[in-house]
Every structure is written in structure tokens, then in C-alpha cells.
Amino acid sequence: MAAPDAGMLFVQFAKVGLSGFGGCLPWAQRALVEQLRWLDQKTFTELLGIAQVLPGPNVCNLALIVGTQFAGWRGAAAALGGLLFAPCLIVLALGAAYAHFGHQPQVHAALSGMASVGAGLLLASALSLLRGLSGRWADVLLAMAACSALGVLGWSLWLVLAVLVPAALALHAYTGRRDG
Amino acid sequence: MADPQVLWTLAVFFGRLSLQAFGGVNVALGSMQRFFVVEQQWLGAAEFAELFALAQTAPGPNVIVVTLLGWRVAGLAGALVSTLAMLLPAALLVYLCACTLVRGRQQQLVKALLAALTPATVGLLLASGAILARSSNHGLSGWVLTLVTAVVALSCRAHPLWLIAAGGLAGLLAGHA
């Protein structure tokens, strides 16, 4: 498949952005690997890993990396811009509607229910990841520490990461040496 | 016209948050709630939760909740400033890394970093979920909804949008009860 230029990157990532309700990554995978065949699965997984260890939303980082690979900084800007411009406009339109109709008690009631569900979804994603840590008690303890540090002690994000990520690296290196 | 002081405060907050939000915006929701509701007192806890819910119903990456929050506080200028501040610092870093990508050699490092990040991410997500739940739930029905959602989401592959719509319906019914 011919390498995409900035224009193609913009259009295709715009499609990904518009299809991604509750998470764009599956759509990004489908588009990049299966439909457009710009990347093979192995490359996609590698780039996704890099996107995850850098700050920023995973799918946004992925767009930047893929865009850069194919078309330099223009590609990066096109991919990210494509991904976000329509969702931003839509969310602002929703905000305007909320400002207009938000005073009605039914709207509050419905949104409140949706917010409760949203919190539940967040908890589910956390618990699902927690399941993935099964058996590695050190990791589970670190997760609990992170949760308490932010929620109870009121630590800032960077402090939690600055303390716990090196701790995890050290722990993993230590246990790796013991088992290896 | 938007207050420049407010715009500056938004820019600084989100600019700093940008480089800390590993794994996405959701880990940063707890910090955002604290900033908007407790520190700046720009929004009530319930309204923060409702804006989060509203952003969920829009397509796209959920970083756009930042757009909505910025808009609510300072109009279109606030939306623009918040979104750009949240995106650009991390985007610049990612772009620089993408330029120097030599994939084969980095895989070990990436795997090790990912394994080290995951426990912290889990904890931060849990905390954010709890903080958001406290903001959204004003009674037993809210907590029931949250817990039921968590159980359902964990046990089957239901599309989140259905669950959110069901939550809206449940909220409407509970409101009339």
C-alpha cells in the first residue's frame, strides 16, 4: 500500500475519531491494520506500546507516531488534527445544548445517571487491569499505594508516578533477577 | 470576553497535566476534579460529573472532556486554551520520540516501562473512578448504578454507549420516582 500523505492521514484519522464511542483504539487498529494496511499487526502493537509509555492519550500518541512515520511533522499534525477536530466540535455543540436545556430537572437526572455509569466504567477498566496483575502481589500493593496516594493523601499525579514507577522498575528488576 | 487570568490558569494547569497523564486522560480525572471543584471552585461536584458524562456521549478520544470543561469555565477561548495546553506538551514529546524511533532496540525498554507503569495506572484509575463516583452519586441509586455498571462491564463485552444510555434512562426514572 502506498505511504499516506498528510491529507490521507487527516481523513482516515478523522474517520477513526468519529467512530470511537467510549474508546478509539479498536477502531484505530481496524483501520490501520486491517482496512488500510498501513501497518502490520506486529508494528501496530510495537507503536502502541510506545504510545502507552509516553504521556498523553494512547490513541492520540498513536496518531502522532504513525503520522510522523509516514509524513513527518505535517503527518503528525494532520493525524492528530483529523482525530480530534470533529469530536471537539461535537462536544462543544453538546455543551451549548446543555447550557440551553441544562436547567430542566430531567436533563440533570439523565446526566446524573450517565455520570454514575461513567464512574462505573472507569472502575471496571481499573479492575480489569487489576485482574491482569493477578498473582503479582507487589504490583497489586503498588496499585493500592497509588490509589491511596492520590485519593486519600491528595498527592499530585507526578508525585505518584515519580515515586511508584521507579519503585516498580526496581521491584521488577529484583524479582526478575531472583527468578531468572 | 474571557478573563485572561482564568485562561492563564487553565493553560498552566493543563500544560502541566499534559506531561503527567500517562495512559490517557482517565487517570487525570481525579486531579481535574480537585482542581475545578475544590481548588478553583469553578464548578460544583455534580456539574463536573455531568460534564464528564456529556463528554462521554461524544465520539472520539475522551481527552475532549478537557475541551468541554474549558468551554464551561471560559467559553470558546477557554475550550481552545485548555485543549491545546492538554495536548501540545505531550504531543511535542511524542513527536520527538517518534523522530528518533529505532524500533527493534527499544522493545525491551518499552516493555519494562509499560510493566512499571501499569500498577500506578491501575491505582490512579481506581482513585479517579472513586472520586467521580462520589461526585456523581447523590444517594443509594447512584451507587447501585455505578456498581452494577462495573459488574456488567467486567463480565460481558457490552458497548459502553448502551450502558451510558441505560444510565441516562435509569437516572430519568429515578428522578421521577
Side-chain angles (χ1 to χ4, degrees):
Chain A
M1 191 93 199
D5 62 4
M8 270 296 269
L9 285 161
F10 184 88
V11 167
Q12 295 303 332
F13 273 100
K15 285 194 198 165
V16 171
L18 280 171
S19 27
F21 283 94
C24 290
L25 269 176
W27 298 100
Q29 165 147 0
R30 198 171 300 186
L32 293 171
V33 178
E34 294 167 30
Q35 292 168 348
L36 299 163
R37 303 195 198 223
W38 287 347
L39 307 171
D40 60 26
Q41 182 62 54
K42 181 163 178 290
T43 307
F44 179 88
T45 310
E46 285 175 4
L47 295 182
L48 180 60
I50 298 172
Q52 287 173 308
V53 299
L54 291 169
N58 294 340
V59 67
C60 294
N61 288 353
L62 189 68
L64 286 166
I65 295 171
V66 169
T68 309
Q69 297 256 275
F70 287 126
W73 69 267
R74 287 186 193 82
L80 189 65
L83 188 63
L84 288 172
F85 94 95
C88 281
L89 290 177
I90 293 176
V91 86
L92 287 173
L94 286 174
Y98 173 75
H100 251 295
F101 302 110
H103 307 300
Q104 297 180 7
Q106 293 99 319
V107 174
H108 276 302
L111 280 177
S112 179
M114 287 196 264
S116 298
V117 166
L121 288 172
L122 262 184
L123 287 171
S125 69
L127 292 170
S128 163
L129 279 175
L130 190 64
R131 262 203 311 227
L133 296 178
S134 63
R136 307 214 289 274
W137 290 109
D139 281 353
V140 174
L141 282 173
L142 283 170
M144 293 304 128
C147 185
S148 325
L150 188 87
V152 176
L153 298 175
W155 284 20
S156 63
L157 213 53
W158 77 266
L159 192 57
V160 173
L161 292 171
V163 170
L164 292 175
V165 171
L169 279 170
L171 262 163
H172 291 161
Y174 173 70
T175 54
R177 258 199 300 267
R178 257 190 343 173
D179 301 331
Chain B
M1 204 60 251
D3 178 2
Q5 184 60 38
V6 169
L7 291 178
W8 177 249
T9 310
L10 283 169
V12 168
F13 173 71
F14 282 118
R16 285 159 67 187
L17 200 61
S18 173
L19 292 171
Q20 301 171 41
F22 288 84
V25 161
N26 286 345
V27 298
L29 276 170
S31 304
M32 283 194 241
Q33 202 264 12
R34 248 207 315 255
F35 176 76
F36 277 87
V37 174
V38 178
E39 291 169 27
Q40 298 296 329
Q41 303 194 339
W42 282 332
L43 303 170
E47 187 173 7
F48 181 89
E50 289 184 7
L51 289 172
F52 164 74
L54 203 56
Q56 289 224 303
T57 63
N62 39 11
V63 68
I64 58 178
V65 68
V66 161
T67 312
L68 196 55
L69 288 168
W71 174 84
R72 171 63 184 78
V73 166
L76 279 177
L80 194 64
V81 164
S82 302
T83 310
L84 289 177
M86 187 67 190
L87 289 174
L88 289 182
L92 215 54
L93 181 62
V94 172
Y95 170 69
L96 290 173
C97 290
C99 285
T100 61
L101 222 48
V102 183
R103 283 195 335 259
R105 277 185 271 158
Q106 289 162 333
Q107 282 322 296
Q108 290 289 61
L109 179 64
V110 168
K111 277 204 193 120
L113 282 173
L114 204 50
L117 264 174
T118 305
T121 304
V122 172
L124 290 169
L125 277 176
L126 275 172
S128 289
I131 291 171
L132 207 55
R134 272 212 309 262
S135 301
S136 330
N137 301 337
H138 312 303
L140 192 60
S141 53
W143 284 103
V144 168
L145 206 50
T146 296
L147 290 170
V148 167
T149 305
V151 170
V152 170
L154 277 173
S155 15
C156 68
R157 317 269 285 156
H159 196 290
L161 210 56
W162 288 119
L163 294 173
I164 293 172
L169 194 59
L172 264 176
L173 295 172
H176 279 278

